[in-house]
Amino acid sequence: MRHALVVVDGVLRDVVTGQPDELGRELYQALATVYRITLIADRQKKDLLDKWLFREGFDKHLAIDFNRYDDRLTQIRMIRASQVVDLVVVPETDLVHDLYDMGVPVLVFVHPKHFGQATRVPNWGELTKRIEEDRLRRRRLLREEIDGY
């Protein structure tokens, strides 16, 4: 079974009100049918988060990783150092380029109700260019490999 990392605050929980996000809940339930889920949480009281998750019906995850680092990217890198990660679901748009460069499929969950104008929109043109360059490079390598036989 595949393994997904899902951020709690901003995907499952509204960062302003602390209430569950219904779209985030639906995404969680859908992912749980195909992925083993590890939740990614910021530094907070484990028992309070466990109670909130249970009370709100988020009970299909494998584990919770509490961020012991200064940033989310380091947290994800550390998880990947010890286990295979097939998908990362984040609300932080500024991680898109770094996760792509690491070779990690990323799903960005941005709900305007939670973030409004505060969220920096990633440079999609730059990301599209990187993806196209990567696709062409892989095609060239495949051609070279085939021609080599």
Side-chain angles (χ1 to χ4, degrees), residues 35-49:
Y35 292 87
R36 290 177 299 113
I37 297 174
T38 296
L39 297 179
I40 300 178
D42 292 321
R43 293 179 213 179
Q44 49 195 278
K45 296 191 184 248
K46 182 182 181 338
D47 58 333
L48 292 178
L49 181 59

Side-chain angles (χ1 to χ4, degrees), residues 46-116:
K46 182 182 181 338
D47 58 333
L48 292 178
L49 181 59
D50 283 336
K51 288 177 186 174
W52 183 86
L53 290 166
F54 181 76
R55 183 180 69 240
E56 299 300 339
F58 296 106
D59 58 358
K60 294 180 176 21
H61 51 278
L62 176 68
I64 304 172
D65 186 272
F66 289 91
N67 197 347
R68 299 172 301 282
Y69 311 98
D70 292 334
D71 66 294
R72 177 84 61 220
L73 192 58
T74 301
Q75 181 183 23
I76 293 168
R77 280 188 176 125
M78 296 307 289
I79 294 169
R80 287 187 71 230
S82 64
Q83 38 190 311
V84 174
V85 174
D86 299 296
L87 177 68
V88 178
V89 182
V90 295
E92 299 99 344
T93 59
D94 55 332
L95 296 180
V96 172
H97 294 284
D98 291 323
L99 291 169
Y100 177 79
D101 287 344
M102 289 168 47
V104 177
V106 60
L107 176 63
V108 182
F109 185 88
V110 180
H111 197 305
K113 180 176 92 177
H114 307 308
F115 295 98

